[in-house]
Every structure is written in C-alpha cells, then in structure tokens.
Amino acid sequence: MAVAIKGALKVASSSSTSAADSRTDRLRNVLVDELLAMGKITSSRVEAAFRTVPRHAFVPAGTPLEDVYHVDKSVITKTDEHGAHLSSVSATYIQARMIEQAGVDAGMRVLEVGSGGYNAALLAEVVGAAGAVVSVDIDADITERATALLEAAGYGDRVTVAQADASLGVPDAGIFDRILVTAGAWDLPAALLEHLAPDGVIVVPLRMNGVTRTIAFRHAADHLVSTSTELAGFVPMQGVGARPERIFRLPDGKGRHVSLRFDTGAPQDIHLLDGVLAAERTAVWSSVAVAGSESFADVYLWFAGFLPGFCLLAADAGTDLHGERDWFPFGVVRGDSFAYFAFRPAAVEGRSELGARAYGAHGAEAATAMVEQIRAWDRHARGGPEPTFAFWPTGTAPDAVVGDVAVLDKTSGRLTISWPTAS
C-alpha cells in the first residue's frame, strides 16, 4: 500500500510538472507570436532566442506567468528602503526591440550594461557559440543573482557577469561590436564609448529633460548619430552615471502636495511658487486637435528640447490635479507660476484639443509658453519622420544649428535633436 501510494504521488508530481512546462511553453510561444505581429521581433535569430530562453527562470518566485510572458510588463527584482525600483526584468517588447535595434548577430561580442540574467541569456542565444556576452552591473547583489540564475538556466559558461560601474569603463573587457544599456542613462560617458568598435552600435535609453527614448547610435566621424528610436522607460542608472533629479514639493494647504521634477533647468528661486496652488486656475488652448487613436508622444520630446523651464509633475491623491481626466505629467515653470499639459474635447467628435492649465499670478504666461510649443510641434514636426539624435563628445562641435534643432548639454558632450520638416 505504501509503495503504491508513493508511486501514485510520483506519477502525479511528474504529470503536474509536465503540465506546468506545457503551459509556460505555450505562453512563451504566444508572446513571441505577438512580438512578431507587432514588428518588435524582425529576425529569425531573435525569434529563436525568445522561443528558447525561459523568462520565468529569471523573475522572482511566485510572479504570475501571465505577467512573466506579457508583452509590456516589466518585473521588479530589487527595490530600495523607500520602495524605489533599483532593478527589473524589462518588458519583453523593449528587450526584443533593443536587440533588433542593435542588430546583434552570430559571432558578435556584446556588452550588456545592467544585469538581470534573462536579457544576457537572450543575447547568448543570438550570438551563438562563436560570440561572447559580458554583462556588468554596479550592484553586487544583482550580479550575484544574475550569475546564479544564468548558471541554473544553463548559461553559466556562455555569459560572463562582472561587477563594475560601466560609466568608468569595464576593466580588461576590450572592444565590443554591440553595447546594450538596460538602465536609464542621462549621459554617454567617454569610458563606456571607448568599448565600442568603430563600426559598432550602442543602444541606450537616454533621458532628455525627463523624457526617455531608447536610441541606437553609430559612429559618424567624430560623433554618434542615431539609426532608430523606441519609446520606453527604464530604472535609472546608478553610480557615476546617475543624474539625481531636483524635486520641489508644492503644498496645497490641505496636507497634500504637487511635485515638480527637474533634471536640468531647475528654478533658482522655487520659493516664488509658495502658495501658488491657492491661486485661481487658468487655461490656454491651442486649437491643435488630435484623434483618439493618434499618438502625440513626440510633443513631449519637443517640450524637452524647446521649452525652457520644462519639468515633470506628480500630484498627491486629493489635489485638484490628481486624477484629472485631461491631465498629463508635463509642465513648465515661469517665475511665480507654473502650467501643465492638458486636453479637452474638441469641436469635432472623437478629437481632443491640446492646451495647458496653470496656477499663479502669471499662469496665463506659463500656459501660453507651453501652447506656443504645441503649435510649433504641430507646424514643424507632427506627422513627419522621427527626429535624428546626435551625440557630440566633449572636444567636438555640432554642425551649424539650422532649423528645428534642440541642443542639450550633457556632462560628456552635447546632444542635438534634429526634426525633419513635416510633410
């Protein structure tokens, strides 16, 4: 009887394991089919990698499989004492897109900045036995975890994991055909770029006044020029490459706050905004309308490049701004007043008019400044090709700025964003 029971339990356990494996295989293949349909995966080697590597082996235990194999859900793997995200397994669509942006192929040497394990395993599959993958992270906890997970998943001898601050370079790492940065970066440090081969590609989520684009760059003479971009958000880079935001909290007089966040161009005297939320709110509208299905994400990038005083906003629950149906977290400060991006129903059904709402004695001026840039975006960039990004390291000079070109100073050089004229 005892033997029979043990045997029955063993068969049941084996059956349960097989069922679980079948479910993960099915979910993984459904995910890959979706990534193919979206155009995020475009090459057979990347497709094969995503069908092969078990994503669930690299996320915290207990993570629902529907989240693990979801097309646009990241999985947090480490937080600090305040709950801020320090590390994550990025959303699958952006992992696929970044590998495709980089043009990773068989036999290449690839450097991954920001370890987690899963992305490195994907890269190992794509480059194959003739290639090499080095994954670095500044955090020893993360590199230890990545090493253990890669070993358990069978990639321990195919990926080299190292602890290093990549902004200072990776000792003895050499030159790479491709570099993929999987943390939000404010700058392109010279020590990191020294690892990039002359004909190489670096893909980096670059922060520009709080707005991030994942950009693929190639060398072009003495600077770098973009070849593609993607919308995405990432956990911020740590170490020397970190760029702390300046955050100002405006009280509403009822124990709640609206926060203004700047990574450049913070006001010199934020106290001019004391009590501003008690002022009457004003609004200015642009007459620029967008359809419900139309993406206007590039207007935020336009703001970041051309709107002095641009910032990101966050509002506590209970403030007038929180949960507003027509509110987006982009704003501008002008002295004792600030405005924020908004929209309202347009005269044509199914369309919305873009504009700005504002607080302060000069709120109308702040709102008008934002609305003028909405109209400029509508005239010069809306519906046109995506902008071209160029990074000019310190010691080089950008080409003559002609037309709609934003110039952003970075620690290691200067970034230009050039907008082609819309057709």
Side-chain angles (χ1 to χ4, degrees), residues 189-375:
L192 176 59
L193 293 179
E194 287 174 0
H195 289 292
L196 185 63
D199 59 349
V201 176
I202 180 170
V203 180
V204 56
L206 195 60
R207 199 170 87 207
M208 298 158 283
N209 283 352
V211 178
T212 300
R213 292 292 184 276
T214 297
I215 308 172
F217 285 104
R218 277 189 179 274
H219 286 292
D222 59 352
H223 62 287
L224 299 171
V225 175
S226 66
T227 58
S228 65
T229 65
E230 180 71 39
L231 283 168
F234 279 80
V235 171
M237 185 172 283
Q238 301 177 55
V240 173
R243 176 76 176 194
E245 294 177 317
R246 295 191 65 186
I247 303 176
F248 304 101
R249 303 181 72 225
L250 308 179
D252 71 348
K254 302 174 184 178
R256 297 175 292 263
H257 295 82
V258 172
S259 297
L260 310 182
R261 299 162 43 205
F262 298 83
D263 68 15
T264 60
Q268 294 300 308
D269 189 359
I270 196 65
H271 296 295
L272 291 174
L273 291 173
D274 288 349
V276 69
L277 294 178
E280 185 175 350
R281 188 169 56 175
T282 59
V284 178
W285 299 100
S286 67
S287 299
V288 175
V290 296
S293 59
E294 180 182 356
S295 171
F296 49 92
D298 272 354
V299 74
Y300 313 147
L301 185 61
W302 185 277
F303 287 158
F306 294 114
L307 184 60
F310 178 73
C311 61
L312 304 185
L313 288 83
D316 290 348
T319 59
D320 290 340
L321 276 70
H322 180 77
E324 243 193 290
R325 183 174 170 275
D326 60 348
W327 180 80
F328 283 80
F330 304 96
V332 60
V333 172
R334 286 288 188 274
D336 60 359
S337 306
F338 79 92
Y340 61 91
F341 186 61
F343 67 89
R344 67 179 181 179
V348 178
E349 186 175 354
R351 299 177 69 83
S352 298
E353 182 183 5
L354 307 182
R357 299 186 190 277
Y359 287 92
H362 299 89
E365 295 175 20
T368 297
M370 179 167 272
V371 163
E372 285 176 350
Q373 292 304 330
I374 293 172
R375 291 170 177 158

Side-chain angles (χ1 to χ4, degrees), residues 44-53 118 121-123 125-126:
S44 59
R45 294 192 70 87
V46 176
E47 177 187 354
F50 271 83
R51 293 197 189 278
T52 301
V53 180
Y118 176 65
L122 291 170
L123 291 169
E125 289 288 345
V126 176

Side-chain angles (χ1 to χ4, degrees), residues 29 36 42 52 85 118 141 161 175 186 188 195 213 222 256 267 306 335 342 346 397 407 423:
N29 284 316
L36 286 164
T42 56
T52 301
H85 299 166
Y118 176 65
D141 290 342
V161 181
I175 302 299
W186 188 84
L188 287 172
H195 289 292
R213 292 292 184 276
D222 59 352
R256 297 175 292 263
F306 294 114
V407 180
S423 56

